[in-house]
Amino acid sequence: MGSVKLTKFLGEAPKISSELLPDGAAQNAFNVKLYSGDLIPYRTPKLVENVGRTGTIQTLYKLTNPANGNNVFLTYLNDVDIATASAPWTTTSNTEDTEQRFYYTGDGTPKVSNYDLATNGSAPYPVTNGYYDLGLPLPETTPTATAVTFSVVSSTHYERDSGNTATFYGSSSHNLRSGNVVSVRDFGSSDEAKSFNATNVEVTVLNSTDFTYFSPGDQTSKTANTSGRSELAGNTQIRTYVYTWVTPWDEEAIPSLPSNEVYIKEGQTVNVTNLPTAKPSVPAQNFIRGIRLYRTVVSSAATEYFLLSTLWFPTATTKVARSGSTVTLTLAEPHNFILDDRFKLSGMTADSGSMNGEFSVASIVDKYTFTFTDSGNAIGETADTNGTVFHDVSENLDLPARYWGDGGSFTFTDDFLISGLSRVLDSEDNDPPPTGMKGIRAAHNNILVGFFDNQLCFSFPDKPHAWPERFRLTFDSDIVSIEPIQGFILVLTKEYPYQVSGNDPATMVSARIDTLYPCLAKKSVVNMGYGVIWATHGGLASYSPSSGIDLVTKLIHDWDTWNEALNPATLIGHYYNGKYFGSHSSKSFIYERDDKVGGFFVSIQYTFTAACTDYETGIMYYIGDTLGNLYEWDNKQQVLSPLEWKSKTIVTKDFMNLGAA
């Protein structure tokens, strides 16, 4: 008795005629899972929610509500690329972990956002203006430096103890700081008086008129002498100032033009004016909340700009509470404080304004809220938007506080000691990203990568806002997409693909992959782990640095059948459970790599325009209509989809009468 037996079920292979298909291969495999050898249908999609946005949604991205762990979905009508470069969401109380910061391109200028910004309002998300522009603008103004005249101070007395410490008693304010270097002269012609004269000695300030310095000699009691003089020592040097914009995320801009030159001696006070008093108006969506002020320091090797101080703009209050002597204050913008920082609070109306004054930070609650100590009436959490917080910009806590912007004064008094300057200006190359940049990706060594036209752009490591022009690479044809893989960056163009390598954006090099597999659809590009897959002429191409380049669908599709089955320029790809899920203008397919049989290729009934996977749960979500309906793929509680599996055309050696199947 003759028989026909099917022992395994494979996917489609349209390039092979139905009679010549391998045993188990299908003429048609529709909505079917084939991994087990059984015919198992996919489930019908489950409607999860409506995202509130209509039209053809091209990008779907998941955030997590840190308060309850629920998913929140961002949608865009544009082809938006999103890269994350901050700590992932966790359930800890660490506010930095729950920020969920992300960087994206394709929706106008490159942008940065986080959970709070993107969801600050009602759906659809992200809300309008729920972002900041990525990159900081050039400073708008040029600072002005004015040297304060340093007067020679006359003495009233001198004195020296047994340890060779001399005391200069001045007749007026000396305007010195401990650590300044001075020369003391003209004490007289006697041996005792002349022994108090000194050149280039470092002083220790006792009060506004008196200071001590090293002076070897006999111990001398306090002696009247009005002929002595004290003046700053050292050579006259040139000094200039620059400032940079700065954000609470420690992003820093390119410096301003240098101020006018002042000719001073080290220790002489300089007043710096014409500094910004608020964030720039352009671009409107920026996170700038202050400036950093730098001054030149001349050495035998070079002249460098060293940081004087970070000057945060005055910040408005939003609410306040007091329990016992602990006041909890919340600001409209990040406060940028650390423990024990000094500040001045003015304009508060809660408790009749009794808490206005100068205080120190007692504890940090979060980036907007802190506590300080102030006794008074108990106050439940109360809105108060009338107060203003001014930051202390003195050199250290041992000196009297100076509150930046207090009383409308934004003049910075520079009497800082050179010995306390340590941080060198390093933002000269912090160019903002090109306005038309797209395709942003997070690469190795915390480098972000993007492109425009035929230019590949790199950020500084750990500086997502800084994209130096000198780091760019140029290619022979326009770039379609980029994808990091295995420590390299694959650049797909309208012609040849390229591999970019290097650990430093300043030394990146490119090498052409000499197989003409152009990328036909930017959204078809998916990193599958074993290689990056993209739509090209003839099928799905794959590349990895270890195995090279290949057409992974070569045993399934030929060039003719590939272009007959779909328009590859419309292909949208997504990584799903180790498989490539592709949707195009007419239908979808799932491709799974299998080197033994050439891969499994299955047609799918459901199409999508945007998809994302929750990598914590492994659930794939997608949008396939213009109504904003969000679906979960293959939910186990859903009913089964219609399945069809059609075998090869089976040809027997002889005529056969089948009595049963």
Side-chain angles (χ1 to χ4, degrees):
M1 178 179 174
S3 65
V4 175
K5 186 177 182 180
L6 300 178
T7 59
K8 57 184 176 180
F9 298 104
L10 304 178
E12 301 173 5
K15 70 177 292 184
I16 304 173
S17 67
S18 63
E19 296 88 352
L20 300 178
L21 284 169
D23 291 342
Q27 294 185 61
N28 186 23
F30 180 71
N31 285 349
V32 60
K33 302 178 183 180
L34 299 172
Y35 62 85
S36 68
D38 294 330
L39 294 178
I40 304 173
Y42 282 101
R43 304 278 177 168
T44 57
K46 176 185 177 181
L47 178 62
V48 176
E49 63 179 79
N50 188 283
V51 297
R53 194 184 305 279
T54 58
T56 303
I57 293 172
Q58 297 191 53
T59 305
L60 180 66
Y61 185 72
K62 183 195 79 74
L63 296 177
T64 306
N65 186 327
N68 55 28
N70 293 336
N71 288 336
V72 177
F73 293 94
L74 310 184
T75 56
Y76 302 85
L77 298 179
N78 302 321
D79 176 17
V80 172
D81 292 284
I82 299 175
T84 57
S86 63
W89 177 83
T90 72
T91 55
T92 69
S93 60
N94 188 325
T95 57
E96 297 304 318
D97 288 343
T98 60
E99 188 177 32
Q100 301 175 77
R101 196 184 312 172
F102 59 95
Y103 304 83
Y104 62 103
T105 58
D107 190 34
T109 58
K111 297 175 173 62
V112 56
S113 187
N114 60 20
Y115 179 86
D116 289 340
L117 283 171
T119 63
N120 185 25
S122 57
Y125 301 125
V127 298
T128 302
N129 296 332
Y131 65 88
Y132 297 122
D133 283 351
L134 180 59
L136 305 184
L138 293 173
E140 299 172 327
T141 60
T142 303
T144 300
T146 305
V148 177
T149 302
F150 188 89
S151 301
V152 175
V153 178
S154 300
S155 65
T156 61
H157 299 77
Y158 59 67
E159 182 180 11
R160 182 164 47 223
D161 63 17
S162 59
N164 294 322
T165 297
T167 302
F168 181 99
Y169 295 91
S171 60
S172 60
S173 179
H174 50 60
N175 296 316
L176 294 173
R177 295 264 316 276
S178 293
N180 284 160
V181 177
V182 303
S183 290
V184 179
R185 57 180 173 83
D186 298 343
F187 261 122
S189 57
S190 68
D191 290 341
E192 178 185 276
K194 286 193 294 183
S195 70
F196 281 87
N197 294 330
T199 303
N200 297 338
V201 290
E202 185 175 302
V203 304
T204 299
V205 172
L206 300 177
N207 51 51
S208 62
T209 59
D210 310 331
F211 60 85
T212 64
Y213 60 99
F214 177 75
S215 174
D218 297 333
Q219 182 174 351
T220 305
S221 60
K222 185 175 180 179
T223 304
N225 187 305
T226 59
S227 62
R229 302 289 184 268
S230 167
E231 62 182 0
L232 285 173
N235 297 323
T236 300
Q237 54 188 245
I238 299 174
R239 183 186 295 175
T240 59
Y241 293 81
V242 297
Y243 73 88
T244 62
W245 298 120
V246 65
T247 75
W249 286 333
D250 201 34
E251 299 169 323
E252 192 167 2
I254 290 175
S256 68
L257 293 175
S259 70
N260 58 293
E261 297 175 340
V262 289
Y263 296 83
I264 60 171
K265 291 187 176 182
E266 188 60 48
Q268 190 171 349
T269 300
V270 177
N271 289 329
V272 185
T273 56
N274 201 35
L275 296 171
T277 61
K279 72 173 188 174
S281 57
V282 178
Q285 293 298 112
N286 70 73
F287 196 32
I288 293 169
R289 297 295 179 264
I291 64 173
R292 283 190 175 135
L293 185 62
Y294 295 81
R295 83 176 191 206
T296 51
V297 173
V298 180
S299 68
S300 58
T303 299
E304 297 279 5
Y305 281 99
F306 281 76
L307 176 65
L308 285 170
S309 184
T310 299
L311 313 178
W312 298 108
F313 300 133
T315 308
T317 61
T318 59
K319 55 187 178 181
V320 65
R322 179 160 52 201
S323 176
S325 61
T326 299
V327 178
T328 302
L329 186 66
T330 302
L331 305 187
E333 304 291 350
H335 52 69
N336 307 299
F337 284 130
I338 61 174
L339 197 64
D340 295 329
D341 273 355
R342 298 181 293 193
F343 67 94
K344 183 175 182 179
L345 182 59
S346 66
M348 295 289 288
T349 57
D351 196 22
S352 302
S354 65
M355 63 184 66
N356 293 317
E358 299 182 26
F359 306 97
S360 295
V361 175
S363 68
I364 304 297
V365 178
D366 58 38
K367 57 189 173 184
Y368 292 94
T369 307
F370 62 94
T371 69
F372 62 94
T373 300
D374 179 54
S375 299
N377 298 324
I379 306 174
E381 187 172 270
T382 304
D384 191 337
T385 59
N386 301 298
T388 303
V389 168
F390 301 93
H391 289 68
D392 173 29
V393 295
S394 61
E395 186 173 3
N396 56 59
L397 297 178
D398 295 330
L399 298 171
R402 300 173 183 173
Y403 297 108
W404 174 248
D406 183 26
S409 174
F410 290 90
T411 297
F412 183 85
T413 300
D414 176 21
D415 58 358
F416 285 27
L417 298 177
I418 189 173
S419 59
L421 305 182
S422 59
R423 176 171 173 173
V424 178
L425 173 67
D426 63 357
S427 66
E428 296 96 331
D429 291 322
N430 284 7
D431 300 296
T435 56
M437 189 181 78
K438 55 187 177 181
I440 195 168
R441 289 288 185 270
H444 54 286
N445 291 351
N446 292 329
I447 300 169
L448 291 185
V449 191
F451 68 89
F452 68 97
D453 298 334
N454 65 339
Q455 304 285 305
L456 185 65
C457 310
F458 301 90
S459 77
F460 271 119
D462 297 314
K463 292 183 179 180
H465 65 288
W467 297 74
E469 289 188 20
R470 62 186 177 89
F471 287 173
R472 297 176 187 174
L473 294 180
T474 302
F475 295 85
D476 293 337
S477 58
D478 284 352
I479 300 171
V480 178
S481 184
I482 56 177
E483 193 67 39
I485 181 170
Q486 299 176 17
F488 296 87
I489 300 166
L490 179 64
V491 179
L492 301 172
T493 74
K494 293 182 177 180
E495 295 180 4
Y496 290 92
Y498 293 80
Q499 177 181 284
V500 174
S501 59
N503 293 319
D504 187 326
T507 58
M508 292 288 187
V509 295
S510 65
R512 193 176 81 173
I513 302 165
D514 287 325
T515 303
L516 189 58
Y517 284 163
C519 181
L520 302 183
K522 175 177 175 292
K523 294 187 70 176
S524 71
V525 180
V526 177
N527 189 336
M528 300 296 295
Y530 58 80
V532 175
I533 285 183
W534 69 96
T536 188
H537 299 297
L540 291 176
S542 174
Y543 177 79
S544 76
S546 57
S547 59
I549 194 167
D550 195 10
L551 273 181
V552 293
T553 55
K554 63 186 177 183
L555 298 180
I556 297 171
H557 269 292
D558 191 53
W559 290 52
D560 293 337
T561 61
W562 173 252
N563 288 286
E564 290 172 0
L566 69 142
N567 179 1
T570 66
L571 185 60
I572 302 168
H574 185 69
Y575 180 90
Y576 162 67
N577 286 0
K579 307 172 182 65
Y580 183 95
F581 201 153
S583 181
H584 50 92
S585 53
S586 57
K587 58 182 180 180
S588 297
F589 65 85
I590 290 178
Y591 169 78
E592 182 175 9
R593 178 185 179 185
D594 189 313
D595 295 334
K596 294 180 180 179
V597 298
F600 294 92
F601 193 92
V602 175
S603 298
I604 298 295
Q605 173 183 356
Y606 309 100
T607 61
F608 58 88
T609 59
C612 73
T613 297
D614 182 344
Y615 293 109
E616 294 179 7
T617 62
I619 296 174
M620 172 182 162
Y621 299 93
Y622 74 91
I623 294 177
D625 57 30
T626 58
L627 303 177
N629 291 320
L630 178 77
Y631 293 92
E632 177 184 334
W633 173 250
D634 199 31
N635 181 284
K636 293 182 179 180
Q637 305 303 317
Q638 295 294 106
V639 299
L640 300 172
S641 296
L643 173 154
E644 180 180 335
W645 188 90
K646 184 178 181 181
S647 75
K648 63 181 285 187
T649 300
I650 299 171
V651 180
T652 60
K653 293 182 179 180
D654 300 303
F655 292 104
M656 181 184 300
N657 184 15
L658 295 176

